[in-house]
Amino acid sequence: SHELEQRERERDVFGRLVSPEVRDQLVQGELMLGGHEVEVTVLFSDIRGFTQLCEGLKPRDVVLTLNEHFTRMTHAVQRFGGYVNNYMGDAMVVVFGAPTPDPHRVERALYAAAAMQQALVEFNLERASYGAAPLSIGIGLASGTALAGQIGSPERCIYTVIGDTVNIAARIEGLAKEETGMVAFVNQATHDLLPRPLRECLRPLGTRTIKGRDTGIPVWGLPANAPLPEPPVHLLRPEEEVL
């Protein structure tokens, strides 16, 4: 009984480090060093102006702020089946469609972006109650092919996704610096894969030049006041399955 309890604790801790989906595949020996191509939608988000915001804060307060922020953002994306792939400073990378294929990955990602912005509104109300400055985030969504798998060495590796799709999500997120009032920015493939009711909520922003590309890419934005339909029940994970 003690051994079973210990294994369950280890399983729970392991699942918090790599996500339950990856944990289960690792335990079953299904994830090996290397990877395979998958169709995904990548969500990249970071806090705007966080470096300046941190200048007047103690390191402990910075960490507390990030933990509180990421707790809310993680819950928002996991509610729609997003896999939190990584936290990088004040940024987070979320994948829809890996490690488990998902035919609804694009819709889930868009609704997750809206849920993140709503969670931020609620967090800012709480922050205002104790005199803290409000936070704002930019979100980029890109759909396409990526390489997903265990990257690293036999001694130390992580499950991640890499490829141009990830880069595009990170680059178009930066448009939040110049385009205000947008929930998220999406690339051509994301726009084209969305169901018509959701596609019609997007606003064309024209062709934009992004870092690392010689030619521009078409970008759409989801305005904060867009009449986004209520998410169908089948897109939501049961609340008890969300960490």
Side-chain angles (χ1 to χ4, degrees):
S1 174
H2 174 73
E3 289 180 357
L4 288 174
E5 184 177 339
Q6 179 67 20
R7 288 181 183 177
E8 187 60 31
R9 281 200 299 268
E10 291 173 353
R11 184 174 179 271
D12 179 63
V13 171
F14 191 23
R16 293 176 185 273
L17 292 174
V18 298
S19 93
E21 297 89 348
V22 174
R23 172 201 63 199
D24 293 342
Q25 292 188 34
L26 283 170
V27 170
Q28 295 168 17
E30 296 177 7
L31 289 176
M32 306 298 290
L33 196 63
H36 59 282
E37 288 191 349
V38 290
E39 293 297 320
V40 295
T41 296
V42 177
L43 183 156
F44 187 96
S45 171
D46 79 350
I47 302 175
R48 311 310 314 167
F50 192 68
T51 301
Q52 291 80 6
L53 185 68
C54 291
E55 289 179 353
L57 298 177
K58 297 179 180 178
R60 174 182 173 82
D61 293 330
V62 173
V63 172
L64 288 173
T65 299
L66 285 175
N67 286 343
E68 291 174 356
H69 171 74
F70 283 140
T71 296
R72 289 163 172 79
M73 298 301 108
T74 298
H75 186 276
V77 299
Q78 288 185 336
R79 191 76 171 89
F80 289 94
Y83 162 58
V84 180
N85 178 238
N86 201 5
Y87 300 109
M88 302 179 296
D90 62 316
M92 64 187 293
V93 182
V94 185
V95 182
F96 297 81
T100 304
D102 184 1
H104 303 292
R105 63 186 181 279
V106 185
E107 304 103 292
R108 292 184 198 271
L110 191 69
Y111 277 113
M116 289 173 67
Q117 294 286 10
Q118 180 56 43
L120 186 64
V121 170
E122 296 166 4
F123 185 31
N124 279 334
L125 288 174
E126 180 181 320
R127 289 175 58 80
S129 68
Y130 51 81
L135 304 179
S136 64
I137 58 174
I139 300 176
L141 301 177
S143 299
T145 303
L147 185 73
Q150 295 292 111
I151 309 298
S153 71
E155 291 75 26
R156 171 65 176 169
C157 58
I158 60 171
Y159 179 86
T160 189
V161 294
I162 60 175
D164 195 45
T165 302
V166 183
N167 297 334
I168 292 175
R171 298 307 185 194
I172 64 176
E173 175 277 326
L175 294 175
K177 298 175 183 177
E178 54 193 76
E179 292 282 352
T180 60
M182 292 292 172
V183 169
F185 302 90
V186 310
N187 71 335
Q188 176 85 52
T190 302
H191 169 272
D192 294 347
L193 289 169
L194 284 168
R196 184 173 179 179
L198 298 183
R199 199 164 59 239
E200 291 178 345
C201 293
L202 302 178
R203 192 177 86 192
L205 300 176
T207 300
R208 299 301 181 96
T209 301
I210 61 174
K211 186 178 179 180
R213 281 181 172 260
D214 295 330
T215 58
I217 64 170
V219 178
W220 281 262
L222 176 65
N225 60 356
L228 199 65
E230 285 294 314
V233 175
H234 69 270
L235 296 183
L236 293 162
R237 288 178 62 186
E239 190 68 37
E240 60 270 17
E241 293 183 7
V242 180
L243 293 177

